[in-house]
């Protein structure tokens, strides 16, 4: 099904073959999960080249695909299958050096660069993909529920990060979806802070941004937790209220830029525009950040099956920040939150 759609696109683009090299697209279109796979598709064939570490795994995972042992130069191996043809390739996934080597090895082939290929197809998830993301979200929710009793004055960001990641791992996450963020106090004004040995204090805001992975699919959730009564408690309440209102707007037919503009209008009404420093969200799937981008320039219109994050935040330099984020499924008539940790957490 996925490959027949791809072949349809190839005919539209007048391509004789397609060469896919990003691990996500190779996985999506072949089933192979290793990190060294090169998939060549023509209208008749599908060939997966991989090295000796993966040939047995590839034969098990990649159904109806011819697995070829890759030995020697990649460009020479690929040249056997693409001579004198017009071939599309993922320009964003190939280094200049590899692209040059391919051109040199196949002088009669017309190489057609396609940037971000596959992202549009992958932005609408099927039932299996949604089940994997749902599980990744459930793991993150359960791990965070276990972490809550450990959040108290004196514990450091790095300790909390370790505890959270250990729990996600124990609950079945394949690995973390990205580098876990834990930022307390004024450090929470850094949207992507790296956890340090800074300790939580009595009246504090602590932001956690983390995700689990199930069958290759990620979840993405942020919660800012309030300890005692920090100075920025009004910011906490505002961000939670904005996030709720924006999530409730998610439905088929609305564009990503409209959603982003809506959050900005709500923050503007509250006189807080200057503290908005990033766009509203992004698609989630085999990659933690993928299409559709939920940003001012994104005219993508939401359709059922898309999975996006809604993650408004406010960041006051030197004082602190608040962000709250859910992974959200676009359904036939609206939305479903896939992350279900409560938002209003005061310890
Ligand atoms: Zn996140
Ligand atoms: Zn995110």
């Amino acid at each position: 099904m996925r490959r027949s759609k791809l072949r349809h696109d190839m005919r539209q683009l007048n391509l004789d073959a397609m060469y896919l090299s990003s691990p996500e697209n190779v996985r999506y279109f072949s089933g192979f999960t290793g990190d060294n796979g090169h998939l060549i598709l023509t209208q008749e064939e599908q060939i997966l080249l991989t090295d000796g570490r993966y040939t047995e795994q590839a034969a098990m995972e990649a159904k109806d695909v011819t697995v070829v042992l890759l030995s020697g130069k990649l460009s020479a191996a690929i040249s056997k299958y693409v001579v004198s043809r017009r071939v599309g390739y993922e320009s964003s996934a190939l280094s200049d050096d590899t692209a040059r080597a391919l051109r040199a090895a196949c002088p009669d082939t017309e190489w057609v660069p396609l940037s971000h290929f596959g992202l549009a197809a992958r932005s609408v998830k099927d039932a299996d993909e949604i089940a994997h993301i749902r599980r990744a979200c459930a793991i993150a929710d359960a791990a965070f529920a276990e972490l809550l009793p450990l959040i108290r004055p004196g514990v450091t960001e790095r300790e909390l990060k370790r505890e959270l990641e250990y729990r996600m791992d124990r609950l079945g996450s394949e690995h973390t979806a990205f580098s876990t963020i834990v930022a307390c106090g004024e450090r929470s004004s850094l949207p992507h802070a790296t956890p340090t040995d800074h300790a939580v204090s009595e009246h504090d805001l602590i932001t956690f941004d983390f995700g689990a992975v199930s069958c290759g699919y990620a979840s993405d959730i942020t919660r800012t937790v309030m300890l005692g009564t920090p100075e920025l408690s009004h910011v906490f309440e505002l961000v939670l209220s904005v996030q709720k209102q924006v999530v409730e707007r998610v439905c088929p037919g609305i564009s990503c830029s409209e959603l982003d503009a809506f959050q900005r209008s709500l923050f503007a009404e509250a006189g807080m525009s200057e503290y908005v420093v990033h766009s509203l969200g992004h698609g989630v799937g085999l990659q933690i950040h993928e299409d559709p981008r939920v940003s001012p320039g994104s005219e993508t219109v939401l359709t059922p099956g898309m999975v996006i994050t809604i993650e408004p935040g406010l960041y006051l330099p030197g004082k602190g920040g608040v962000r709250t984020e859910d992974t959200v499924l676009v359904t036939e008539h609206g939305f479903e939150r896939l992350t279900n940790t409560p938002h209003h957490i005061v310890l």
Side-chain angles (χ1 to χ4, degrees):
M1 175 65 187
R2 291 176 184 175
R3 287 200 291 263
S4 53
K5 168 86 175 60
L6 178 65
R7 288 188 164 111
H8 172 80
D9 292 347
M10 283 163 56
R11 286 192 292 274
Q12 302 290 90
L13 294 165
N14 208 14
L15 297 172
D16 301 308
M18 186 73 208
Y19 165 43
L20 299 174
S21 56
S22 69
E24 294 81 15
N25 275 341
V26 169
R27 181 174 187 152
Y28 187 77
F29 290 108
S30 79
F32 173 58
T33 65
D35 62 7
N36 185 24
H38 303 268
L39 184 64
I40 298 164
L41 280 121
T42 64
Q43 290 299 332
E44 304 79 30
E45 287 182 297
Q46 45 271 335
I47 297 146
L48 177 69
L49 295 104
T50 188
D51 67 77
R53 295 170 301 166
Y54 289 122
T55 44
E56 185 182 356
Q57 179 184 332
M60 288 189 288
E61 291 178 339
K63 306 288 180 219
D64 310 319
V65 173
T66 306
V67 177
V68 173
L69 173 66
L70 177 60
S71 58
K73 280 192 173 169
L74 173 68
S75 53
I78 288 179
S79 69
K80 289 184 191 160
Y81 303 98
V82 298
V83 176
S84 303
R85 296 190 189 195
R86 188 174 143 84
V87 183
Y89 71 101
E90 292 180 85
S91 53
S92 52
L94 219 57
S95 71
D96 283 353
D97 287 351
T98 307
R100 245 194 313 276
L102 282 174
R103 288 201 167 86
C106 322
D108 299 328
T109 298
E110 185 187 350
W111 292 95
V112 182
L114 300 168
S115 65
H116 308 298
F117 188 84
L119 281 175
R122 283 168 33 210
S123 68
V124 178
K125 272 68 180 175
D126 63 26
D128 284 346
E129 294 179 289
I130 292 167
H132 299 324
I133 298 172
R134 194 185 292 283
R135 178 154 185 273
C137 290
I139 291 170
D141 281 336
F144 196 63
E146 288 187 15
L147 182 76
L148 284 178
L150 306 179
I151 305 172
R152 54 178 178 263
V155 68
T156 70
E157 294 169 348
R158 276 160 49 81
E159 285 167 340
L160 290 169
K161 168 190 183 280
R162 269 201 302 278
E163 294 291 343
L164 182 54
E165 291 185 346
Y166 160 68
R167 282 165 170 72
M168 288 198 290
D169 182 80
R170 195 170 46 72
L171 289 162
S173 180
E174 289 164 9
H175 48 84
T176 57
F178 52 91
S179 298
T180 301
I181 296 168
V182 181
C184 66
E186 61 212 35
R187 299 193 70 260
S188 59
S189 71
L190 306 169
H192 274 195
T194 304
T196 66
D197 291 322
H198 198 92
V200 170
S201 59
E202 233 168 276
H203 297 280
D204 228 347
L205 289 171
I206 313 148
T207 295
F208 299 85
D209 191 347
F210 56 102
V213 175
S214 179
C215 293
Y217 285 82
S219 59
D220 192 3
I221 172 170
T222 305
R223 289 292 180 269
T224 297
V225 169
M226 204 157 62
L227 238 72
T229 47
E231 196 190 325
L232 297 183
S233 52
H234 63 291
V235 176
F236 176 85
E237 302 293 346
L238 175 64
V239 170
L240 265 55
S241 155
V242 167
Q243 202 255 7
K244 183 171 187 294
Q245 293 177 68
V246 176
V247 169
E248 285 168 358
R249 283 264 171 124
V250 171
C251 64
I254 193 166
S255 73
C256 290
S257 59
E258 277 176 82
L259 274 180
D260 187 279
F262 181 51
Q263 68 135 358
R264 286 170 203 274
S265 72
L266 294 173
F267 282 132
E269 272 172 36
M272 300 296 271
S273 291
E274 64 181 298
Y275 306 118
V276 177
V277 303
H278 59 72
S279 48
L280 180 63
H282 52 86
V284 181
L286 287 170
Q287 283 175 294
I288 185 63
H289 295 135
E290 56 180 46
D291 281 1
R293 308 288 155 160
V294 190
S295 60
S298 173
E299 293 313 316
T300 303
V301 172
L302 295 184
T303 58
M306 286 182 172
V307 177
I308 58 170
T309 67
I310 300 292
E311 50 180 303
L314 290 175
Y315 309 90
L316 285 65
K319 288 190 170 177
V322 177
R323 175 167 72 256
T324 191
E325 172 183 29
D326 284 306
T327 300
V328 176
L329 168 68
V330 183
T331 62
E332 288 294 329
H333 302 291
F335 69 93
E336 179 190 345
R337 280 183 212 267
L338 300 181
T339 42
N340 285 298
T341 293
H343 298 84
H344 200 277
I345 303 174
V346 181
L347 301 172

